[in-house]
Amino acid sequence: MADTPKAAPGKSPAAPAKAATPIKAAAPAKAAAPATPVATGDHKTHSFRRRLLGKVVSDKMQKTVVVEVVRRSRDTVYKKYVRHSNRYKAHDEKDEFKVGDRVEIMEHRPLSKDKRWKVVRLVARAVEE
């Protein structure tokens, strides 16, 4: 009788413990699908880097363009839309973008003191007169 647990005063005795049910073994892991190689020159389709659209305002540097990104936000007091513009230096490897071109830029690792963006694609070519 010393081996059986005693119930606390005012409580009913505990029910006998049930036998533990066997745990099912996990299904064997499936073989990993072979990785599909990404074509050279293409960038990943899913990226966590920011992308912005802007207009090239300067191309006087080697392999660098200055892109002006204009965003519009609503004024908190007057409820009018206000233009805000930021200028970013972006890497242009082939010097193919000219002043007036609309381009898309993407965040990149630091390439120089001021350059942290890379031109991804041309959206619209500037109209020449």
Side-chain angles (χ1 to χ4, degrees), residues 27-72:
K30 294 181 181 178
T36 57
V38 178
T40 56
D42 291 345
H43 52 275
K44 290 188 258 180
T45 56
H46 183 69
S47 177
F48 294 103
R49 294 178 174 179
R50 288 189 300 164
R51 290 174 177 249
L52 300 173
L53 287 174
K55 187 163 129 181
V56 176
V57 292
S58 172
D59 63 348
K60 295 186 178 191
M61 294 170 275
Q62 295 176 1
K63 298 189 177 184
T64 304
V65 291
V66 179
V67 179
E68 185 175 42
V69 176
V70 178
R71 67 180 174 84
R72 295 178 57 183

Side-chain angles (χ1 to χ4, degrees), residues 81-129:
Y81 284 96
V82 183
R83 289 169 44 110
H84 299 279
S85 61
N86 291 336
R87 292 163 68 111
Y88 300 100
K89 288 184 182 164
H91 186 65
D92 174 16
E93 182 65 37
K94 299 173 187 169
D95 277 329
E96 59 185 317
F97 304 106
K98 303 299 176 201
V99 174
D101 291 349
R102 299 237 342 127
V103 295
E104 181 180 15
I105 58 175
M106 180 175 66
E107 276 184 320
H108 197 268
R109 64 180 171 80
L111 296 167
S112 70
K113 177 184 168 191
D114 297 326
K115 203 161 47 164
R116 274 103 174 99
W117 295 84
K118 184 176 183 179
V119 179
V120 178
R121 68 184 177 98
L122 177 69
V123 177
R125 186 63 76 181
V127 177
E128 294 182 23
E129 294 182 11

